[in-house]
Amino acid sequence: MTLAGLIVVPLAGALLTALVGRRVPLARAVALVSALGTAGLAAAAWSEYAQTGERMAFDIPMIGAGAFFRLAADGLALPLVALTAVLGVMAVLTGWNAERAGGHLALLLGLEAAVMGVFLAADLVLFYVAWEAVLIPMFFLIGGWGHENRRYAAMKFFIYTFAGSALMLVGLVLLILWSGGTAIVDTPGALAGSEHLVFWLLAAGFLVKVPVVPLHTWLPDAHVEAPTAGSIMLAGVLLKMGGYGMMRLCAPYTPGAMADAAWVLAVLGVAGIVYGAVMALGQSDLKRLVAYSSVAHMGFVVLGISAGSELGYQGAMLGMVSHGLVAGLLFFLVGALYDRAHTREMAAFGGLGRTMPRWATVFVFASLASLGLPGLSGFPGEFAAVVSSFGTFGWPIVVAGVGVVLAGAYTLRAVRAVVHGEPAGSAGIEGVDAHGATHDLAGSAHGPAWPDLDLREYLVAVPLVVLIVALGLWPRLVTDIASATLQALAFLSGTVS
Amino acid sequence: MMPLWLVVVAPVAIAVLIAGAGSRPVRFTRWLAAAGPVLALWAGMERLLAGHGESAASTAGSLSAEWLVTAVGPLGIGLAADALASVMLVVVGVVATMVVVFSTGYMADDPAQPRYFALISAFSAAMTGLVLSTSLLGLFVFWELVGACSYLLIGFWFTRPSAARAAVKAFLVTRVGDVGLLFALAVLWSQTGTVSIEGALAAAAGLGTGLATTVALLLFLGAVGKSAQFPLHIWLPDAMEGPTPVSALIHAATMVAAGVFLVARMWPVFEASPTAQLVVLVIGCITALGAAIAAVPQTDIKRVLAYSTISQLGFMFAALGSGAWIAAIFHLTTHAAFKALLFLASGSVIHGSGTQDLREMGGLGRVMPVTTATWVIGVAALAGLPPLAGFFSKDGVLDAVWVHAPAAGVVLFIASALTAFYSFRATRLAFGGTWRGQGHAHESPLSMTAPLVVLATLAAALGAATWWFAEALGGHGHLALPIAIASSVVAAGGAALGWSAYGAGPATDDALAARLGALWGSARSGFGVDAAVVAFAGAAERASAAASSVLDGTVVDGVVHGVVKVARWAGRELNSLQSGEGQLYAALVGAGAVLLASLALWLGR
């Protein structure tokens, strides 16, 4: 029941929120309660699985149709379910003050329900339906609450993912035909047809979603135009569907083809790491920069998957959870800044460390997490991905090291432009202090007086900060729950190291 | 025995407390920043005294955990203190304690004191974690964390564009080296299935020369970045944008010495590779001499000390490259004392005179007696004049290098002469002659002069510990008399020349510049290495900005838009589907779902 609740509660919440949409305070309350309820259910599912270690399942026998609404949760799904639940709450809090808040919050909850469906589906048909259902609320969030260029971005997002899903659909049909059923099982037998064909058709859909270079250009546009809460869900959760699909379907159903394609995945992963970083370095729009950094981070996830080993899968899982938290926090912060300044151009800012110290502190923290600083959540995943793929592929992986340095470059460049320096538009009141060094002596803000983070914004930021630190210090928070499932996957992949 | 986790965890908790308590109680909370260093000093001393004469690890109070678990084996982390770690704990503890005390005076008027002292406390946690780590993974974690603290402290006065720029530069240049360390870990894990230092060292002999060389050079790349060795030394002079006590702690005594510590820690890997040892020796010598030359024409007192630090670290690497890791660690220890002293004294000078330009100083000897006396002890130790600490430790370095490779020995003797020369040039310019600056210079308060006196005592007397020190680390101390005499003569000559040549004040610079021509200017700008790297990095950044619009904007999106045009054309042709992509999409989703559902029905018969 818990598993069904994870889909039903946000879905019911979405419908209720939409129904009471005109009465904004009530709509907000309903949305928040459903998001929190979903998070509670996720916690319950987590603790149950942690205790029993057995795959949780839920079936409704549908009339004459075998079972279509089949759900299951294991170590691969639960970390992402938990991530979705956490970010669902954060998204609701972020979309709190949106125009037409009822509709906005309803779409966010609908999105959450659909994503839960993807992660929990134990049936290929349900998987596909949920996969496509995710696009609908996202499309309307971008189209209805986006920025200037939203029509172009929404359409681009649609065309890319449509092209990917169309191929994936063919792959799923073949998979159903050749595996002899729609149920998703852990250890399927050999397919009755070409593994390679199925693998590449499925991978087409998954890799667009991740996204890998060169299938990624929908991502920056979609992010820049999406409302902040949409960006949090898009980067935090939707991209994970690609990595999840690779591990849920490709790894067990087409292990041979996946092993043959491992080097292609590694090339795509490293390409994403370097290309995403180079692009991020060239941006002047802060949100675009964060969007490109997502391409780089997801490159590490693909790299971990390509390694095909237990450590590699752990790296991919850690990378996905961490990116959800860190990119979620960064998009939230950029959005909070945009709400105040109505621009995202880095050149328009400067000296926010002086004028908005609390925002700046969290932004510096998130930036350090984003560049993979050990002790914060980005590091364990990157580390495991690099080390494991080095074990599989050897020296070519050194190219990813370029991305590691560039990650420092683009993140700290953003910090320097936005947080450091004199407050933008200030008269630059300078003084000479006792040490002979000139620096700004006036402690007060001059320049545009934007308010610092408020209580609601703290409620979004602080839990994410805590989780980023916890996961960075002790990655086994995630890998312990995932390890049995990931070990089985690695065993299927044929490499254990 | 003091539990080691406490030494690491306590200063983190204190950092959170100081930052959280804010500005109002900072007059009191800032003193808490000294707690972590004092604990480190205590833990290190009690272990050294208990284990005197042994090099075996004292495992009391150690800690280990499995950070990630795989079927192959765990990736472990842990803390333990052997003699080497205990020595480093004492070094970090003493210097950090003195720096905190000094900072209560130096930073007293800064509005951002909570951030400052919190970061100092966090740094001391990370630095002690680094030296105590039992796994290379844990070491790497703390290695990056000290780098992050360094970044945040160099950029402490972040409204200054130069400070913000220097902070980023320091982080990125050292990160190039860190990637080396990361891949050293990758090689070790894939070859030996462990990331523990003990396991790696045990496996070192069996790695084969080729692989040992690879691992050693990757480790050394990390050391080159962190310890500012040629050609990654360029971040350190700029790092002087940070508050001066930070320079003393992080950029002179502890963090920049981490590279030396790393090589010493991983010594068996280097021992298995003569090639790697040769590389370490050559880089050390190039850096020692090059930076000593570059220190001569500097006019900023902190930049003199920065280049001096780079040069002295080069001495340590030369010793490592000659197989004398104990000599290198002893020089690290004495250098920590006298260079921290010199930086803090320069801070006192900057505080008292209002300038850090040597040309605007002069005559400070009369108005700043304590600072002057301690500074002179510091430069004499740096120059290697007997019987100060630097004399003994440099003798160990010179002896080892001379025996191992006489040509390298000659290079270091020249560097020694230059060290004495630039030290006494700076001394004469700052403290000799008459006041050339504006306003009135004054002596610093007790909170600043007391740490100077403590460190000066150590800089003067640590030489007496030569024998005890070597035995604690499992070696044998001795004084190589011929080398000692030769180096004393060289140091005294350089010092005398530096002192007498600058009797005329800054005018001597002009005279030397006129005589040496381009060499003077070139040395002053660090031989253009910095400019070249910065130009390269700038070009790379511009290229990526250009690439981002061309590649994603034109090439990739061009293809996409082309596909869309084809699709639109097809859509027009297939008149029935042109009503709008939204409906088309929904229809296709529906069709797909129906298709799959019928499949399910059929299959589930």
Side-chain angles (χ1 to χ4, degrees), chain A residues 68-121:
Chain A
F68 162 68
F69 194 78
R70 261 189 289 234
L71 305 178
D74 58 6
L76 185 54
L78 278 171
L80 296 173
V81 165
L83 175 70
T84 307
V86 169
L87 290 179
V89 177
M90 301 312 161
V92 166
L93 285 172
T94 304
W96 202 250
N97 294 330
E99 285 175 49
R100 293 165 282 142
H104 192 71
L105 298 176
L107 284 170
L108 288 172
L109 287 170
L111 184 62
E112 186 180 359
V115 175
M116 288 291 190
V118 172
F119 293 145
L120 293 172

Side-chain angles (χ1 to χ4, degrees), chain B residues 252-301:
Chain B
T254 57
M255 185 188 85
V256 290
V260 178
F261 168 79
L262 176 70
V263 176
R265 174 56 92 207
M266 302 301 290
W267 181 246
V269 179
F270 288 83
E271 206 166 27
S273 166
T275 315
Q277 285 187 50
L278 182 64
V279 172
V280 175
L281 177 64
V282 169
I283 294 289
C285 287
I286 291 174
T287 312
L289 182 60
I293 298 172
V296 173
Q298 301 304 321
T299 50
D300 181 317
I301 190 168

